Amino acid sequence: MKLLTFHKNGKLTLGVKTNAGIIDVEDALNVFPENGVFTDIMDMIEGGKGSVRRLEQFVASLDKRGAGYVKQESDITFGPAITNPSKIICVGLNYKKHADETKLPYPKEPILFNKYNNALTGHLNEVTIPRTTERLDFEVELGIVIGKTGKNIEPKDALDYVFGYCTTNDLSARDTQKKSSQWMLGKTSDGFAPVGPYLVTKDEIDNPNALQLKTTYNGEVRQNSNTADMVFSCEEIISYISTYMTLEPGDLIMTGTPEGVIIGRPIEERDYIEPGDTVTVEVEKLGALTNTFVADEE
Ligand code: MG
């Protein structure tokens, strides 16, 4: 199932992508009341397999022809596919060819950093370029959303703890990222974590370690790789993080980016993101996530 959020009456409500269009779950429930079907994506994740099954059955039961609760993507304003995670944990330098392009050795253990929820934004939303940077870069990444609480998880069990997967863009201000020994300033400005368009439940993804990823920058393909090039697999990342902290339902892990980012180019070809630019990041089976950029004029 492909879940999403969209703006409605001042909040982010749940949608489900179907062949007929986007089901507005709240509107559908108003017509066909049903217990145990959630309208908030975080409640849905917290509810685990049972809530996924109930929503699937509910959506399957609906007549989708011409119903008012079926919307087209062009009629909605997307929110981030995950709205209120207790943690956003990112993995740095997790692709071999990306480490090669930045001339850094492959990490012996995962390099972890974080973003905050102010960074979350959705498909087709504008991202403001902060005044503090002149070197804004893109990073296509596979996002993992945790589905159940876990600590000290064994790699062989790690995917049991996954709710689903999403396309993410780890927007990075290269100048402020390197300003101190901590990357935080360059990583979590408002809108620096586009997520979506969809959160795809894990039953649709056989192997998260074999998915194509792509970035298109103003129409030109810049990143084009596969999660098979990751230094640490999805299972290893989940297991490693869970030895340091308890993972909770809704937590988002951004698993690192492959080669092709702007900072990986020769200095004279580093065309950092400017107002008016468009970046589309895409992970196979998860959807293409597009954002445009504007100047900070506040
Ligand atoms: Mg990254």
Side-chain angles (χ1 to χ4, degrees), residues 174-293:
R174 301 305 185 191
D175 33 15
T176 52
Q177 179 183 351
K178 303 279 173 61
K179 200 171 167 183
S180 72
S181 65
Q182 309 295 317
W183 293 357
M184 188 186 83
L185 284 180
K187 289 290 193 175
T188 189
S189 290
D190 299 347
F192 272 25
V195 177
Y198 318 112
L199 168 54
V200 179
T201 52
K202 70 172 175 187
D203 53 290
E204 296 195 11
I205 307 299
D206 290 337
N207 181 6
N209 301 300
L211 297 173
Q212 281 296 124
L213 314 94
K214 190 164 86 171
T215 297
T216 309
Y217 182 34
N218 295 330
E220 184 187 342
V221 176
R222 289 292 184 90
Q223 294 189 277
N224 196 359
S225 183
N226 193 287
T227 55
D229 188 48
M230 290 198 292
V231 177
F232 300 102
S233 68
C234 293
E235 292 89 333
E236 289 169 319
I237 292 166
I238 292 167
S239 172
Y240 182 83
I241 296 171
S242 79
T243 61
Y244 287 87
M245 63 192 94
T246 302
L247 287 169
E248 308 274 6
D251 284 351
L252 172 63
I253 302 170
M254 296 169 63
T255 55
T257 202
E259 80 280 10
V261 296
I262 298 170
I263 202 174
R265 297 162 72 82
I267 287 175
E268 63 280 8
E269 291 174 24
R270 290 181 190 168
D271 49 352
Y272 288 104
I273 298 171
E274 292 181 349
D277 286 345
T278 301
V279 176
T280 298
V281 290
E282 182 169 7
V283 180
E284 183 183 355
K285 300 187 176 128
L286 303 182
L289 167 64
T290 297
N291 295 98
T292 51
F293 292 81

Side-chain angles (χ1 to χ4, degrees), residues 148-195:
K148 65 175 182 179
T149 302
K151 198 176 174 200
N152 297 325
I153 300 166
E154 296 287 338
K156 68 176 174 44
D157 302 325
L159 297 188
D160 295 344
Y161 289 80
V162 173
F163 179 88
Y165 302 94
C166 47
T167 304
T168 67
N169 189 351
D170 173 16
L171 288 167
S172 303
R174 301 305 185 191
D175 33 15
T176 52
Q177 179 183 351
K178 303 279 173 61
K179 200 171 167 183
S180 72
S181 65
Q182 309 295 317
W183 293 357
M184 188 186 83
L185 284 180
K187 289 290 193 175
T188 189
S189 290
D190 299 347
F192 272 25
V195 177

Side-chain angles (χ1 to χ4, degrees), residues 91 113 139 141 170 187 256-257:
V91 187
F113 62 95
E139 298 192 346
E141 306 201 358
D170 173 16
K187 289 290 193 175
T257 202

